[in-house]
Amino acid sequence: GSLAASQLQQVCLCWATPLVLLGADFRGARQRCGPLVWSFLLAAGATLASSAVGWWLVGDWLTAALSVSHGALYAEDGLKIAAGIMARNVGGGLNYMAVCSSLGASPMAIAAGLCADNIFGLMYFPTTSAIAAGRPDPEEEEESTTIAQSTTLVVDKEQDGATVAVSTSTPSVLQTTAVTSTNVTSAITD
């Protein structure tokens, strides 16, 4: 609606994340997340380094292409789009738009960056799927092993006036217990 409501919304959005972070328990998060934080930091650092190398390799070409097609005004958008794509690879599409907006990239350059990112994504995801095709999923393999080792089977049957309970904790061991009113016998068989 009004200009005042729009300004209030903008102020609230700018302060929302810092205020949430002020109330965060970082010690508890560090303990709960542990290795994931280090993995994220390693991946973010690698993304930053590879973006810098990528800009060093093709930055001049990108700047030249933008200046030829759209004039000198858009030539500086190449670095802004590269920074946006780097932010997108670290934290997602919202980061791309936030970085491009804060750096003042032109709408045409933002669209070109999204297009280029989608084209490379269309090459990247099928390639990684093809590389992984036919290989077992390590998590599924680990789950099936854990389930097979911890399966417990309990069967109660009446045989000749006795209750027989059969149970196993591993697939290779079968434990049979026969219970009568006079005695208790146990035997382990394969």
Side-chain angles (χ1 to χ4, degrees), residues 16 34 40 42 56 58 71 77 98 121 124 128 131 138 142 150 157 161 181 186:
F40 172 78
L42 176 67
W56 178 71
V58 298
D77 280 343
Y124 171 78
T128 55
I131 291 170
E142 186 178 306
S150 65
K157 291 185 181 178
S181 59
S186 295

Side-chain angles (χ1 to χ4, degrees), residues 40 54 57 63-64 66 84 86-87 90-91 95 120 131-132 143 150 160 187 189:
F40 172 78
L57 290 174
T63 302
L66 284 171
M86 179 193 65
V90 171
N95 282 2
F120 282 105
I131 291 170
E143 269 183 29
S150 65
D160 302 325
T189 61

Side-chain angles (χ1 to χ4, degrees), residues 1-2 11 22 32 55 61 69 75 102 117-118 132 139 146 153 172:
S2 70
V11 168
L22 285 175
R32 286 188 303 271
W55 180 257
W61 293 345
S69 62
S102 66
D117 188 50
N118 287 336
E139 288 182 7
T146 304
L153 173 67
S172 62

Side-chain angles (χ1 to χ4, degrees), residues 84-117:
I85 290 175
M86 179 193 65
R88 182 211 170 283
N89 289 335
V90 171
L94 192 57
N95 282 2
Y96 174 78
M97 293 306 297
V99 168
C100 288
S101 175
S102 66
L103 294 176
S106 68
M108 187 171 290
I110 292 173
L114 283 173
C115 182
D117 188 50

Side-chain angles (χ1 to χ4, degrees), residues 3 15 33 140 169 175:
L3 179 62
W15 283 97
C33 296
E140 282 184 17
S169 61
Q175 183 178 14

Side-chain angles (χ1 to χ4, degrees), residues 170-184:
T170 61
S172 62
V173 177
L174 180 65
Q175 183 178 14
T176 307
T177 305
V179 179
T180 64
S181 59
T182 57
N183 66 1
V184 176

